[in-house]
Structure formats: structure tokens, C-alpha cells
Amino acid sequence: MSDQTIATKKEITFSFPDGSTRTYPSGITGVEIAESISGRLAREALSITVDNTVFDLHRPLTTGGKITINMWDDEDGKMAFWHSSAHILAEAVEALYPGVKLGIGPPIEQGFYYDIDFGDTHVSSDDLPKIEAKMVELARQKNQFERFEISKEEAISHYREKNDPYKLDLLEGLEDGTISFYKQGNFTDLCRGPHIPDTGRIKAIKLLNTAGAYWRGDNASKQLTRIYGISFPKKSMLDAFLHQLEEARKRDHKKLGPQLGIYMIDRMVGSGLPMWLPKGTTLRRTLEAFLRDEQIRRGYDEVITPHIGNLELYRTSGHYPYYKDSQFAPMQIDDEGYLLKPMNCPHHHRIYDNEMRSYRDLPVRLAEFGTVYRYEQTGELNGLSRVRGFTQDDAHIYCTNDQLKQEIKHCIELTQFVFSTFDMPVDIRLSFRDANDEKYGGERKLWDRAQQEIREAADEMDLVYKIADGEASFYGPKIDFIIHDALGRKWQLGTVQVDYVMPERFDLTYVGSDNQKHRPVIIHRAPFGSMERFTSILIEHFAGNFPLWLSPQQAVIIPVSEQFNELAESYRSQLQEIGIRVKADLRGEQIGAKIRNAETNKIPYMLIVGEKEKENQSVSVRKHKKGDIGSFNFSEFLSIIKKEVDEKVLPDQDPAPQA
RNA sequence: GCCGAAGUAGCUCAGCUGGUAGAGCAACGCUCUCGUAAAGCGUAGGUCGUCGGUUCGAAUCCGAUCUUCGGCUCCA
């Protein structure tokens, strides 16, 4: 960069996001540009982006281009803010723990962290308030972030002197002439930047937790202490963030799941092996029925395959011994090795190969809710979302190369339909191969064609997508669906993957119109991914307040007193008759207690019956979280509730029946 | 697997520097027969995750181990 060049009389022109352009003398800084527009802009600006490169606001600019002055709401602004916060964290730690060695301290999606080698000192979350207080003190000093460039040689001797092996390791990968340092207060760090103008912008700081993290993410190298934190330009933003955290904590499926009777994990059965309780099973079977019906409508055939398979099957697929470390050890049966199945595909491939396939039969779409077992490391297990035994909503589509594009479209369409039912927005990522040919199997020519067709399919469906090079699986490119839940968190769920490798390995063929054998291509797809993981996300997405069609118990009948138990029973059987999951609460409790009980169990409908209802065959309806919605003729209510189930109405868009 | 934290009644939690466990809710029994988020009284319930050590004495101190939580690594 030539920004060190003293500004000449040259003029440079910037174009702003609104399309307007302005001309300034070369060497002008971002702050000065902001000031020329408004004082408030200058006060709140955090960084400036020129033609996709982000600069400090105090950096003299010598080339014009498209600029954005980044505020808190701009991604580039926020990243600079959190990056600068990480520097303050490091400054505070250096002040409190002299002699520590610093690793890296980047901004992340929500906040920042710094990896630090504390030597023999143990730092735990108990120490965070102290560090946090120091950070606040340093932030208040309003120290400027000063940038300077130095030679690689100087940088190396600086860190030799400080005896910091991590920074020296980082320096090795850097070119001379591109090395910059940033200094604020008493702290200097090797850093590419950019940073916010001064520490005073940071008004609220919270250190969240500590964790071990391997240097450079390599589990063979030393583990450093990572401190996570977040910071904001306003105290109120921190409060809102903490409130959001609290919300997420309340929705935690590990808490809500067992509480609502969805699942349990029992140490005698084994960790990572969840058991679906009756209510959870109802929920899961309802989800499965939903997807199964859609699949049948779309020409899938359902199959069922065993939970174990001969080791030979997995040698053929290549999964054994390649994934040996993440599988349960094979068992010996009559001199042969058997494996608890880690995926369903090989079984399905053998079903495909069971008969002679003609091009007229294709595509063959085999679907199975197939349970698989994988050995996950103990530290990885997490409620329902990371387990050792789970069920995939798996399917394999065997088709010709000419059918591929159409089939990809079908899969995308099904996946989108599924997520729209839950009102979950979806991001689409096309995961393609990168230049490292070593990583991939199958013919390059076929890959290129598949990637082309995936892209065409996405374009023809007017999808908005991102392309991620290097994210493909080893056997083919794929489309990943990343959904957003009600709290705005992102989860990668469904995938649609193209596979050229397995047809070769299993020698799968079909007879073409030319009477010659041809290779089919396989699409692996799973909209939910895994029933366990998807359920965990559903629980958190809805905070346990499931839409009526998914609720394990859809209604409870509450007689005002025991005198009306008979009426309650009669209503219950009529509701059950039309397929509603309903119970009558006939306990000798008071009505308020029964209602409270139903509310805490998140039962969508509470139907109160007493004298009035007995007289005119009506029902007083109370909705979960909404309260009393009035009285209905009972037979009228039957059709209302039936309709709500059939239409899969979501809790929020709920057109509450008017009394 | 690695770093850090935590495990007391079904649940939520109390139990100070060692003196052998306590509350609320839930459960069960009785009374109340009740109109939209907790009726009253009573009963029962714990070898304080497990094993070992220190001590006259351990929920409390030490060690090991298991499980869970927050991360790291991994994820066909």
C-alpha cells in the first residue's frame, strides 16, 4: 500500500452508497470525509471501506473508489469494533498478568476472543470480572489506535525480545513490507487492522467465558486459554444482548426437551444415546409422516434396512477404514466383521443393484428414516443435537446425467417446502470443489458438469445463493441449506449432494436406450438432516410452543368441578374421534391450578366446561399464551381445531377464531 | 480426546471456616366441588454422582473416576 506517501495536490473521487460522488484532496482520512458530511457521522463512524478494503478512519486515503463509512450496523464497522475490543482485552490481561504470551484475537460473529498462554497461571471464569473491570478502565482512557508499519526483521526482533513464540510463528507466514502494528495505550500488537479510532467508543464490555483452544486449531500443538467477550457502543445494547442470551438459555432444548417429555438421556443406557419419550415420539412420528407423505407424492419409494451391515459393505463404500475413528468398533459374528451402520447409503446402493435397471425406470428414489450410529468424542455430545445414535431422513436418487438437473431442482423444492412449513428462512450455499484435486474423487469432467447444473438449477429457480469453494464433500458438490431460527441463529441442516464415486465403487449400472450399460449418478439428500438435531432446533425455534399440528398433546378438557367430569369425558372422546390428541383433566384440583398446569405444559387448547357449557353443548376455549378466546358451539369448535391442524397453522400467524 | 466449570429429594435451590442434611414445587392421603396461571392440612421421599484417602468425626478437605455444561479438535 502506498498510503504512507505524503499526500500530493492530487485529487481523488469517492462514490457513496447513495450513488453521489465527491472529490477530496489525496491523503484525506475517513474521519475527515465523515466530518464533511455530518458531525454525528464522524462521531459514530467506526471504519471506512474503499472498494471492498476496510481502512482505519485515520488512515490517509490516496486512491478513490466506492466507499462506505461503516457504522455499528455495518458488518465491517462491527468487526473493527470487536477487533479493537480484543486488543483492549489483551492490554488488560498483559497489565494484570505480566509475562503472558499472546496468540490471536479476532472478532467473531458475536463478539471477539483472545487466545492467551498464561503459563502456569490458571485463569477461569472467576477471574473474568477483574479483567473486565480493567478493560472498562482502559476503554475510558480513550486511547487512539495508532497504526505503523515496520520491517519483518524489526518485528521478529521485537517478539524475540518479548519471547513470544506465537507471534513469531505468525510472522513466519508474513511477507516483509506488509507487516503492521497497532498501538493503543501501553499495548502494541502485530495486527493487520483495521481498528476503530479510539477505545472510548467502547462503552459496554462483557467477558462471557473461557475455554481451551489449540494454537492454530491444531490438536497436536499447545492449548491456550481462550477468553470470549462482547462489547457495544451503548450500555443498552449490552443489556439487550444479555437478555437475548437469557432467552436462548430458557429455550435450550436440553432443558425444555426433558421438561416437556420429549426425550431423556440415561447414563445406564449410555451417553449420546437419547431415548424418545411418548410425547417426543408423537412429535417425531408427526414430522416423519409429514415428510413421508410429501415424498410419496413426489415419487419416492420407502425402504427399511437393518442397523448393521457386513464390514465388506463399508470396505466397498470406502467408509471403512477411512472413518474408523468415528465409528463404533466392528463386531465379530461367525468369523465375519459387522459394523453398526454409520450411514444408510451402502444398503440403498445394494437395493438399487438388486435388479436390472432400465433407463425407463430412472430416476429411482429410495427413502428411509434410517438410524445410524457414529462414535462422537465425549466432549462433542450435546443433548439431542450431537448424539451417537440418530435417524436421518435419508434418500438416494439414482438418475441419469441428463436427469440430474431436474432431480436437483426437485430436492431443492422439497427442502424449501419443508422449511417454509416451519417459517424458517433459509440461506443456500453451493459447496463446490477447490483447486486441491487430491481432496476429491470422481472424474473432473463430471464434477464440472454437476457444478454447472447445480448453478443452473439454482438460477432457474431464482434462488439467492453463495458459492463456497472447497466445501464440497469428497464424492461430489453439494447444496447446503442454512436455516435461521426464531432467535436469528443459523443452523446448517439439509443437504443435497451429488455423488459420482459410489456408483463406481458399487458398480451400479442401468441399461440405456442404446442397449449399453451406463453409470447412474446418485443424489444424497436429507431435508431435516437428522430427526434428533432437527427436533432440538424445533424446540428452541418455537420455545416449546409447538404449532398445533406438532404438539404432542393438542388439547386438555378442564371441567369446572367434578360434577362435569362426564361432559368432559364425552367431549374428549368426540375430539379423539376426529384425531385430536386430547386428555381430560379430571383431578380434584381447582380450575386455576388445572389451567396453570396446562399453560406450563404448553398445551395449545384448554377447553373449559361447566354448567353453561352443559346447558347449550358449548365449550369455553382458552388458548395457550393468549388466554380466554370465548365460547363456541362444541361441534363448531371441532371443525375449527381440525382445520388448524390440517393447515399446519403456525403459532404466531394464528388466525384466532373469533367468538 | 484436550482446556475449564459443575454434580445435595423427581424439579429449583439452601447448607458459613469439617460436628453425621433443609425449604418450595411435584408425588401420595384427607378435606374443599370450585369459571380462566398455584385451595388447606397431613404423609412419604436423600448412603449429598461413585470409589478411595486425611480425621475422633467428611455433603464440606485431598486424590481418582463417571456424568453434565461452556469451548477446542472432528463431523461420510
Side-chain angles (χ1 to χ4, degrees):
Chain A
M1 279 288 130
S2 58
D3 50 273
Q4 296 271 351
T5 320
I6 301 304
T8 59
K9 296 286 169 231
K10 211 178 85 186
E11 300 217 310
I12 49 179
T13 302
F14 296 106
S15 66
F16 289 81
D18 66 358
S20 67
T21 60
R22 291 187 187 218
T23 301
Y24 296 93
S26 178
I28 190 157
T29 65
V31 195
E32 289 162 344
I33 297 173
E35 267 163 3
S36 75
I37 297 167
S38 94
R40 182 162 170 260
L41 186 66
R43 276 195 306 280
E44 293 187 8
L46 298 169
S47 67
I48 183 165
T49 303
V50 183
D51 284 341
N52 297 322
T53 308
V54 191
F55 294 98
D56 306 322
L57 285 173
H58 288 302
R59 192 122 168 234
L61 302 171
T62 51
T63 49
K66 261 183 72 176
I67 63 166
T68 317
I69 295 172
N70 301 310
M71 317 290 283
W72 173 257
D73 287 329
D74 297 294
E75 200 57 23
D76 287 339
K78 211 174 273 187
M79 287 300 130
F81 191 90
W82 282 335
H83 189 177
S84 299
S85 303
H87 277 226
I88 299 176
L89 168 57
E91 184 181 3
V93 168
E94 271 200 342
L96 294 169
Y97 304 88
V100 295
K101 313 238 187 308
L102 300 170
I104 55 166
I108 52 178
E109 201 170 321
Q110 293 224 298
F112 56 90
Y113 66 79
Y114 218 111
D115 283 347
I116 299 163
D117 182 351
F118 282 92
D120 295 330
T121 314
H122 278 293
V123 171
S124 71
S125 49
D126 297 339
D127 302 299
L128 297 182
K130 188 173 64 182
I131 301 171
E132 204 176 283
K134 186 72 184 173
M135 286 177 71
V136 171
E137 180 193 321
L138 292 169
R140 292 218 177 111
Q141 292 175 0
K142 298 193 178 158
N143 295 316
Q144 287 220 348
F145 283 90
E146 295 165 41
R147 178 181 199 279
F148 54 97
E149 294 182 4
I150 64 172
S151 70
K152 185 165 178 173
E153 202 178 322
E154 280 177 279
I156 289 173
S157 72
H158 173 77
Y159 281 116
R160 283 244 168 81
E161 207 171 297
K162 270 189 96 173
N163 190 20
D164 190 326
Y166 308 109
K167 296 294 182 188
L168 287 169
D169 190 18
L170 289 176
L171 277 168
E172 261 175 41
L174 298 178
E175 298 282 319
D176 203 0
T178 63
I179 296 170
S180 59
F181 274 60
Y182 276 82
K183 179 173 189 298
Q184 96 271 5
N186 291 318
F187 179 73
T188 307
D189 199 4
L190 170 68
C191 181
R192 189 174 41 207
H195 282 282
I196 60 176
D198 69 80
T199 62
R201 302 299 184 92
I202 300 168
K203 305 288 189 202
I205 301 169
K206 180 82 187 165
L207 294 182
L208 299 164
N209 51 24
T210 62
Y214 299 106
W215 172 241
R216 294 197 167 230
D218 175 5
N219 64 2
S221 61
K222 179 157 182 176
Q223 196 161 47
L224 311 181
T225 303
R226 175 171 299 178
I227 297 177
Y228 283 93
I230 195 161
S231 57
F232 297 93
K234 282 184 191 157
K235 174 79 167 63
S236 59
M237 290 179 175
L238 174 61
D239 293 341
F241 172 80
L242 293 175
H243 181 257
Q244 169 98 342
L245 265 193
E246 180 62 19
E247 270 309 297
R249 205 183 57 79
K250 274 194 261 173
R251 287 169 179 245
D252 188 350
H253 81 276
K254 292 188 288 293
K255 197 172 170 57
L256 274 181
Q259 214 170 68
L260 295 174
I262 306 290
Y263 77 101
M264 63 176 277
I265 287 179
D266 179 65
R267 68 166 62 181
M268 199 181 274
V269 171
S271 56
L273 300 171
M275 293 185 283
W276 294 78
L277 299 171
K279 284 182 177 165
T281 304
T282 301
L283 173 68
R284 171 168 153 185
R285 292 297 189 218
T286 306
L287 283 172
E288 288 176 352
F290 162 65
L291 186 58
R292 178 179 291 122
D293 289 350
E294 285 303 322
Q295 288 178 166
I296 288 169
R297 193 167 298 144
R298 289 157 205 259
Y300 285 75
D301 293 312
E302 202 174 7
V303 295
I304 298 174
T305 66
H307 286 219
I308 66 173
N310 194 299
L311 212 44
E312 200 49 37
L313 186 62
Y314 303 103
R315 290 207 181 93
T316 302
S317 71
H319 291 105
Y320 190 89
Y322 189 69
Y323 284 104
K324 192 163 171 288
D325 289 344
S326 45
Q327 291 164 359
F328 283 97
M331 48 199 138
Q332 280 303 118
I333 300 168
D334 298 338
D335 296 332
E336 292 203 74
Y338 281 82
L339 200 61
L340 217 36
K341 76 174 171 189
M343 79 288 299
N344 303 299
C345 1
H347 286 86
H348 291 185
H349 301 337
R350 296 301 296 162
I351 291 175
Y352 174 88
D353 203 35
N354 183 47
E355 46 191 290
M356 180 74 99
R357 305 288 181 173
S358 145
Y359 72 98
R360 296 173 194 273
D361 302 329
L362 267 43
V364 170
R365 308 183 185 94
L366 302 180
E368 175 176 21
F369 289 98
T371 305
V372 298
Y373 298 89
R374 297 180 186 176
Y375 176 78
E376 302 284 355
Q377 300 182 99
T378 48
E380 272 310 326
L381 301 174
N382 188 325
L384 270 188
S385 67
R386 197 72 188 271
V387 293
R388 286 178 173 163
F390 59 97
T391 302
Q392 296 177 314
D393 54 326
D394 216 352
H396 297 92
I397 296 162
Y398 304 81
C399 64
T400 68
N401 283 312
D402 291 338
Q403 293 166 330
L404 183 63
K405 186 157 114 190
Q406 186 55 37
E407 288 303 310
I408 289 171
K409 282 186 179 178
H410 274 156
C411 294
I412 295 175
E413 198 272 324
L414 172 63
T415 309
Q416 288 191 311
F417 172 79
V418 166
F419 291 126
S420 68
T421 304
F422 302 99
D423 196 26
M424 291 168 159
V426 182
D427 287 341
I428 294 173
R429 185 175 71 197
L430 309 186
S431 298
F432 289 169
R433 71 191 278 164
D434 54 22
N436 183 1
D437 287 343
E438 302 286 297
K439 280 161 60 182
Y440 310 104
E443 275 179 62
R444 179 74 204 225
K445 223 174 48 210
L446 293 172
W447 272 78
D448 289 342
R449 178 169 170 186
Q451 294 190 173
Q452 178 62 25
E453 293 195 349
I454 286 175
R455 199 189 299 220
E456 280 173 20
D459 287 337
E460 285 166 25
M461 294 176 79
D462 285 327
L463 302 181
V464 179
Y465 58 82
K466 273 197 323 215
I467 293 181
D469 290 316
E471 289 293 315
S473 77
F474 82 92
Y475 51 65
K478 57 180 181 162
I479 307 165
D480 293 316
F481 297 84
I482 295 136
I483 64 110
H484 300 230
D485 72 10
L487 293 180
R489 297 172 301 181
K490 294 179 183 180
W491 308 93
Q492 190 192 316
L493 287 169
T495 62
V496 174
Q497 314 185 349
V498 180
D499 179 356
Y500 294 108
V501 174
M502 292 304 146
E504 294 286 339
R505 284 181 169 271
F506 281 88
D507 192 23
L508 302 181
T509 58
Y510 68 89
V511 178
S513 57
D514 56 1
N515 200 30
Q516 300 292 307
K517 283 191 171 181
H518 298 273
R519 281 270 179 258
V521 52
I522 298 173
I523 301 173
H524 304 243
R525 46 103 282 183
F528 294 147
S530 111
M531 299 311 293
E532 283 74 6
R533 190 164 132 84
F534 186 68
T535 300
S536 77
I537 291 164
L538 270 190
I539 292 171
E540 297 184 8
H541 177 66
F542 290 117
N545 304 308
F546 298 111
L548 184 68
W549 71 281
L550 275 179
S551 278
Q553 186 182 338
Q554 296 168 318
V556 59
I557 308 190
I558 300 175
V560 169
S561 79
E562 286 177 11
Q563 289 169 24
F564 307 101
N565 281 0
E566 206 176 310
L567 179 64
E569 263 302 306
S570 143
Y571 280 4
R572 188 193 57 73
S573 67
Q574 289 180 67
L575 278 159
Q576 211 155 47
E577 202 60 34
I578 62 161
I580 300 300
R581 300 183 285 268
V582 59
K583 284 185 174 145
D585 186 347
L586 306 182
R587 296 173 304 159
E589 284 295 340
Q590 294 190 341
I591 179 171
K594 291 184 185 180
I595 284 170
R596 184 183 149 80
N597 186 259
E599 289 283 355
T600 55
N601 283 303
K602 301 177 184 292
I603 298 168
Y605 279 108
M606 283 149 270
L607 310 175
I608 289 111
V609 296
E611 189 59 43
K612 274 180 291 183
E613 288 72 21
K614 192 174 177 182
E615 266 168 39
N616 43 32
Q617 286 297 298
S618 65
V619 61
S620 172
V621 181
R622 184 188 164 97
K623 286 206 87 169
H624 173 51
K625 299 193 75 145
K626 290 216 168 57
D628 193 351
I629 60 167
S631 189
F632 294 81
N633 177 287
F634 185 65
S635 56
E636 184 193 349
F637 178 74
L638 286 177
S639 54
I640 289 172
I641 193 170
K642 185 83 171 73
K643 186 156 177 271
E644 188 178 334
V645 171
D646 291 344
E647 292 178 0
K648 300 188 172 63
V649 176
L650 291 162
D652 285 337
Q653 65 183 69
D654 155 40
Q658 298 300 306

